[in-house]
Amino acid sequence: MTSGSGIQIPSRLPLLLTHEGVLLPGSTVRFSVDSPRNMHLVSHRLLKGTSLKSTIIGVIPNTRDPEHDTDDLPSLHKIGTAGIAVQVVGSNWPKPHYTLLITGLCRFSVTSLLKERPFVLAEVEQLDKLEQYTSPAGEGVTAEDGELGELSQKFHQAAIQLLGMLDMSVPVVAKLRRLLDSLPRETLPDVVASMIRTSNKEKLQVLDAVSLEERFKKALPMLTRQIEGLKLLQKTRKISPDTEKRVLSVRKGRVFPVQQLNLDDEDEDDDGDDTTALERKVRGANMTEAALKVCLKELRRLKKMPQSMPEYALTRNYLDLMVELPWNKSTKDCLDIRAARTLLDNDHYAMDKLKRRVLEYLAVRQLKTSLKGPILCFVGPPGVGKTSVGRSIARTLGREFHRIALGGVCDQSDIRGHRRTYVGSMPGRIINGLKTVGVNNPVFLLDEVDKLGKSLQGDPAAALLEVLDPEQNHSFTDHYLNVAFDLSQVLFIATANATATIPPALLDRMEVLQVPGYTQEEKVEIAHRHLIPNQLEQHGLTPQQLQIPQNTTTDIIGRYTREAGVRSLERKIGAICRAVAVKVAEGHRVPRSDASTPETCSPHLTLSSLPVILFKLTFLSPDHTNYKPSLDRMEGEGQLTLTGQLGDVMKESAHLAISWLRANAKVYKLTNIVGGPDPLEGTDIHLHFPAGAVTKDGPSAGVTIVTCLASLFSGRLVRSDVAMTGEITLRGLVLPVGGIKDKVLAAHRAGVKRIILPKRNEKDLEEIPANVRADLDFVTTKNLDEVLNAAFDGGFTHPQLTSKL
């Protein structure tokens, strides 16, 4: 197809259907392409073409709502713009798409469609003279051309007036100045309409104006409106034109004053409004000076980016996060100690150490308001309520609560976040938690801190060192934020089952509070205060439909559960509730209290009902005699055999016991199998610890092994009601061990009457409940001589021995 001057566009053009803008001849617009037809056009035509002709495509505005777009070809707009693709950029984020930079050449009309797939190809007719956009200014419309000349002159003068009100230092304004001096006047409506602030609807009207006279009539009111808006702004603000120039802004190749963002057509996109509102939020977030400086820098970059760039979304997400973080927002602590004590007692039974530590913190906060948040670590067996205590502490203080599960975490980025240079980067769990709670002084529960892992991605335990150090966490730097955030007001509570797997440096930063297991009496109280009412509510039952007496609860605890906590107990109570719920659902009615109550419908749970509901007994009545080490000796070569899946430390304790007894065999009159003075001469000994499937280790069995071997070599029986614990040395000293409370409670349940402990563990007896201490006879010992005297009836006949140490 040839125009009047011989410059032509192809008669067959591939068509790009656009939702987001209108391309006018002489303008350059960036389009984001992600629909299947448009993607095929780019990949099959633009990227594979080798000539200039292959880069010319037709751009047709698609008036269909993109939210309701379908695969069917929409009705095409009657007028389009032929353009040349000067740049093609592909990206896979957030989904596969291309970004095209297209410069408009001339108008065309579609005469017929040649094909619809894989992209639209149409027969077109050129409507404009292509060379007018490159001709010298003197060859265009002149004042002698009648009404068209007058319109051209008015438009040119209005454009000059607008330029006089704008800041020439702005690049797009300088470009418009050059275009006014170089292009023919008949091209001005298209060029100016594409550069000033106009809606897509108004641009479509300019595009549809094939007649040059009609085009001037459509574009002139738009230009006049822009001028009047600037004049009105100058009057209302009473500022000079020079000052007004300095408040002008540039968005997507258009010029307009910042204050005029909301005065134009509502169909226009609100990108300018968003960035302005975001800037107000940034300045109103009360963030630190360093953070504000970074945010303003990122905001300036954001204003210069087109929305189609992947980095636009990344920068916007970063700024949104910075605005949402609680830089200076906090909750007021509830410092009423009496109310706090009542709340803690209502939520949890026992746990006196933990409650006392919380009340101490509240007392100090009353005296000193700027106290840093303590860093506590609750260490204890599963099911004793470590996590729920943390939630109760938050309620007591009136603070927000957030739990961070650390079990299995093996990447330091989970704590510190990812650097923003990575695809899919995000802040760490600490910063995310602060964003979630919305305040800077919450209670953070770091659950299962002893189960942190380590991998090629770093050591999360090392990343926690800064978080849990009161001297450093006032300036914690997340990799994603890259600015310091103050964590000093956060109350950190970590939980763990054991301290052995916690790195020493991390453990040193925390105040460790041991949470021991519950006694049987405490479990009964917890069951009737908390577990049973909770399970009744969860299963839709009332106290009239199910009543569990205390003796039944005691039987459940002793015969169906064996744990330090109460999780299994809660599950057993839940099983009972389900069995009763079945009865209720089948139509069995619980009679009134004054009526005769059939046994099958009784609301009282009896001991005889337990085997029916809970099936077979999980644990038989404890018999401690079945779990004592067993010994045997036979003729042999003096070898010691140890079985029962023992660890290295326990095996060493056995060898220590043999060596000490052989060294003191004459004193204690110990003999071998044939009565010789050396207990091992011609004798083999087999020492077995029951429950062979259970791994056993530790130094606590040292005194027990010595006592058993002394009984074997002397032929005397140990008291049947005695239990003991303690580490031994080669010189016969008895050293302290841990877990005294748990061991004593287990011995008490087994019916033991006398307990032998190391002298240096005497202080641990304060943790034993008074009723348990009253039932037991405690013997504290410094050496093995005292142990043997306490373990055998009437003592162990020998002269008193003293250690050389």
Side-chain angles (χ1 to χ4, degrees):
M1 181 180 300
T2 306
S3 62
S5 65
I7 300 177
Q8 63 180 10
I9 62 171
S11 59
R12 295 183 175 186
L13 281 180
L15 300 184
L16 183 76
L17 308 182
T18 66
H19 289 287
E20 58 185 28
V22 177
L23 179 67
L24 293 173
S27 66
T28 300
V29 179
R30 196 180 301 272
F31 294 101
S32 181
V33 169
D34 57 9
S35 66
R37 283 192 176 90
N38 291 341
M39 294 282 284
H40 279 101
L41 185 151
V42 175
S43 59
H44 290 82
R45 178 67 179 247
L46 297 181
L47 297 182
K48 292 184 178 180
T50 56
S51 62
L52 180 62
K53 181 179 178 181
S54 64
T55 63
I56 298 176
I57 60 176
V59 180
I60 292 285
N62 185 1
T63 56
R64 176 184 289 178
D65 185 359
E67 296 292 332
H68 302 89
D69 205 358
T70 63
D71 290 339
D72 299 332
L73 183 68
S75 56
L76 302 179
H77 194 73
K78 58 183 178 180
I79 304 294
T81 304
I84 182 169
V86 297
Q87 186 183 65
V88 179
V89 178
S91 175
N92 286 321
W93 192 94
K95 61 180 180 179
H97 70 281
Y98 291 104
T99 302
L100 308 181
L101 188 64
I102 302 176
T103 299
L105 300 177
C106 63
R107 288 173 176 79
F108 67 83
S109 63
V110 178
T111 57
S112 63
L113 287 178
L114 300 179
K115 66 175 184 178
E116 296 184 8
R117 296 183 183 279
F119 55 85
V120 180
L121 185 66
E123 188 83 28
V124 300
E125 178 183 356
Q126 183 173 335
L127 301 177
D128 290 338
K129 294 179 180 180
L130 189 59
E131 71 276 7
Q132 67 187 9
Y133 293 95
T134 56
S135 300
E139 298 181 7
V141 177
T142 62
E144 289 79 16
D145 292 339
E147 184 180 0
L148 179 59
E150 291 182 15
L151 288 171
S152 172
Q153 185 66 22
K154 286 182 180 179
F155 196 91
H156 188 267
Q157 290 175 354
I160 295 296
Q161 183 180 0
L162 176 64
L163 283 175
M165 304 174 72
L166 301 178
D167 187 356
M168 292 301 295
S169 64
V170 178
V172 71
V173 179
K175 178 182 178 182
L176 180 58
R177 172 78 262 184
R178 293 193 301 270
L179 292 176
L180 285 177
D181 294 338
S182 60
L183 290 178
R185 293 186 181 179
E186 58 264 31
T187 65
L188 293 183
D190 289 333
V191 174
V192 174
S194 66
M195 300 185 74
I196 64 174
R197 187 171 176 84
T198 55
S199 66
N200 288 340
K201 184 178 179 181
E202 290 174 322
K203 289 180 181 178
L204 278 177
Q205 294 175 358
V206 176
L207 178 65
D208 293 342
V210 179
S211 166
L212 188 56
E213 183 177 346
E214 183 184 0
R215 203 178 304 161
F216 273 112
K217 290 180 180 179
K218 295 290 185 182
L220 184 57
M222 305 175 195
L223 185 57
T224 304
R225 183 185 64 200
Q226 189 77 35
I227 295 172
E228 293 300 324
L230 291 176
K231 289 181 178 178
L232 178 61
L233 183 63
Q234 290 176 1
K235 291 179 181 179
T236 55
R237 294 182 61 86
K238 296 182 180 180
I239 57 177
S240 65
D242 291 338
T243 306
E244 178 63 26
K245 292 176 183 179
R246 291 193 293 270
V247 299
L248 292 177
S249 183
V250 180
R251 299 288 186 276
K252 296 184 178 180
R254 301 186 298 272
V255 290
F256 50 90
V258 173
Q259 292 84 351
Q260 288 292 104
L261 290 177
N262 295 320
L263 298 180
D264 292 314
D265 195 289
E266 64 182 1
D267 293 334
E268 185 61 46
D269 64 84
D270 58 350
D271 178 43
D273 299 278
D274 286 347
T275 52
T276 304
L278 183 58
E279 184 172 0
R280 287 198 300 268
K281 291 179 181 178
V282 167
R283 295 186 182 277
N286 292 326
M287 58 183 67
T288 61
E289 184 177 350
L292 179 61
K293 183 178 179 181
V294 171
C295 285
L296 293 178
K297 179 181 178 182
E298 293 294 327
L299 192 61
R300 287 193 295 270
R301 294 180 62 244
L302 184 72
K303 292 178 180 179
K304 298 176 183 179
M305 293 181 196
Q307 291 191 20
S308 57
M309 287 184 63
E311 194 174 354
Y312 182 93
L314 298 177
T315 305
R316 182 60 190 257
N317 291 340
Y318 173 77
L319 291 173
D320 286 339
L321 174 65
M322 294 289 281
V323 167
E324 293 175 10
L325 286 178
W327 297 93
N328 203 23
K329 298 177 184 177
S330 60
T331 54
K332 185 177 180 180
D333 284 349
C334 176
L335 302 178
D336 188 341
I337 295 182
R338 290 184 178 179
R341 179 182 283 111
T342 301
L343 181 59
L344 288 173
D345 288 340
N346 290 338
D347 284 352
H348 292 276
Y349 185 75
M351 294 191 171
D352 295 331
K353 277 189 177 181
L354 273 61
K355 295 177 184 177
R356 185 168 62 248
R357 182 62 183 86
V358 175
L359 296 178
E360 290 171 355
Y361 172 73
L362 291 177
V364 176
R365 280 282 284 111
Q366 284 186 354
L367 304 177
K368 183 177 176 61
T369 57
S370 61
L371 181 66
K372 293 181 180 179
I375 298 171
L376 309 177
C377 182
F378 298 161
V379 179
V384 296
K386 300 184 295 294
T387 301
S388 59
V389 166
R391 188 175 283 106
S392 294
I393 291 175
R395 288 180 51 210
T396 302
L397 296 174
R399 294 191 181 189
E400 297 292 333
F401 177 80
H402 185 73
R403 174 179 172 269
I404 299 176
L406 296 179
V409 172
C410 56
D411 187 351
Q412 69 158 350
S413 297
D414 278 359
I415 307 299
R416 285 187 171 274
H418 305 82
R419 300 190 186 278
R420 287 195 293 138
T421 53
Y422 297 110
V423 175
S425 59
M426 62 182 66
R429 295 193 184 188
I430 303 297
I431 295 298
N432 260 334
L434 290 168
K435 174 188 171 184
T436 301
V437 298
V439 292
N440 63 3
N441 65 336
V443 174
F444 268 14
L445 185 79
L446 305 178
D447 217 1
E448 309 291 357
V449 73
D450 59 327
K451 296 174 180 61
L452 285 169
K454 186 187 297 186
S455 67
L456 296 176
Q457 285 72 37
D459 185 1
L464 278 176
L465 294 178
E466 181 183 4
V467 176
L468 300 182
D469 191 337
E471 302 302 323
Q472 300 181 33
N473 63 9
H474 64 277
S475 59
F476 170 70
T477 302
D478 186 277
H479 287 161
Y480 184 85
L481 296 188
N482 206 27
V483 293
F485 194 95
D486 186 3
L487 300 178
S488 61
Q489 298 305 312
V490 179
L491 172 54
F492 287 102
I493 299 176
T495 68
N497 296 131
T499 58
T501 56
I502 302 177
L506 181 59
L507 190 64
D508 179 63
R509 284 162 167 78
M510 300 185 291
E511 179 183 345
V512 177
L513 298 177
Q514 295 289 339
V515 186
Y518 297 116
T519 66
Q520 181 163 310
E521 292 75 14
E522 289 172 342
K523 290 182 181 180
V524 172
E525 195 67 29
I526 291 171
H528 286 270
R529 285 192 183 189
H530 303 286
L531 303 184
I532 295 176
N534 183 47
Q535 288 297 318
L536 290 176
E537 181 181 356
Q538 289 186 13
H539 291 85
L541 298 174
T542 64
Q544 290 74 28
Q545 292 172 320
L546 175 61
Q547 299 173 14
I548 304 179
Q550 286 204 356
N551 64 329
T552 305
T553 306
T554 303
D555 197 62
I556 296 173
I557 294 171
R559 305 179 70 186
Y560 292 91
T561 66
R562 185 170 291 175
E563 56 176 349
V566 292
R567 282 186 183 149
S568 294
L569 176 59
E570 186 171 20
R571 284 193 288 267
K572 297 300 181 184
I573 295 173
I576 294 171
C577 291
R578 290 192 297 273
V580 174
V582 171
K583 294 289 186 181
V584 174
E586 288 177 346
H588 293 278
R589 299 288 182 182
V590 177
R592 297 168 61 92
S593 59
D594 57 351
S596 60
T597 305
E599 185 179 353
T600 56
C601 298
S602 174
H604 293 276
L605 184 70
T606 61
L607 294 178
S608 60
S609 304
L610 291 181
V612 178
I613 298 174
L614 301 179
F615 303 105
K616 65 180 181 180
L617 294 176
T618 306
F619 304 102
L620 298 175
S621 298
D623 184 1
H624 65 279
T625 60
N626 294 330
Y627 295 95
K628 286 184 177 180
S630 56
L631 285 154
D632 199 3
R633 62 178 176 174
M634 66 288 295
E635 294 183 1
E637 300 177 354
Q639 294 183 353
L640 174 64
T641 303
L642 301 172
T643 56
Q645 230 187 134
L646 308 183
D648 291 339
V649 177
M650 205 163 178
K651 290 177 181 178
E652 290 174 357
S653 296
H655 288 289
L656 275 174
I658 285 287
S659 298
W660 185 83
L661 288 172
R662 292 181 70 184
N664 295 276
K666 290 183 180 179
V667 176
Y668 288 100
K669 300 179 180 180
L670 305 179
T671 61
N672 59 15
I673 195 171
V674 294
D678 185 354
L680 278 186
E681 183 180 359
T683 304
D684 286 347
I685 297 175
H686 188 164
L687 176 59
H688 175 72
F689 288 80
V694 180
T695 303
K696 310 168 191 68
D697 200 6
S700 302
V703 294
T704 308
I705 298 174
V706 169
T707 304
C708 291
L709 290 173
S711 173
L712 178 69
F713 296 148
S714 66
R716 297 183 58 187
L717 295 178
V718 182
R719 289 181 52 162
S720 61
D721 62 346
V722 68
M724 61 190 72
T725 184
E727 182 181 357
I728 62 173
T729 69
L730 199 57
R731 297 295 185 182
L733 296 180
V734 179
L735 303 183
V737 293
I740 295 298
K741 179 181 178 182
D742 297 331
K743 295 172 182 177
V744 170
L745 293 179
H748 181 258
R749 284 197 302 270
V752 171
K753 297 302 181 182
R754 173 176 288 188
I755 295 181
I756 302 172
L757 299 175
K759 182 70 175 179
R760 289 165 61 182
N761 279 122
E762 195 170 10
K763 63 182 187 306
D764 298 316
L765 296 180
E766 298 177 0
E767 300 179 2
I768 311 299
N771 63 319
V772 176
R773 289 203 306 267
D775 292 342
L776 298 174
D777 174 25
F778 291 97
V779 179
T780 57
T781 59
K782 296 180 180 179
N783 52 53
L784 288 174
D785 183 56
E786 296 175 356
V787 171
L788 294 176
N789 279 332
F792 290 87
D793 284 327
F796 208 65
T797 305
H798 57 82
Q800 183 71 25
L801 296 178
T802 56
S803 174
K804 297 179 181 179
L805 294 182

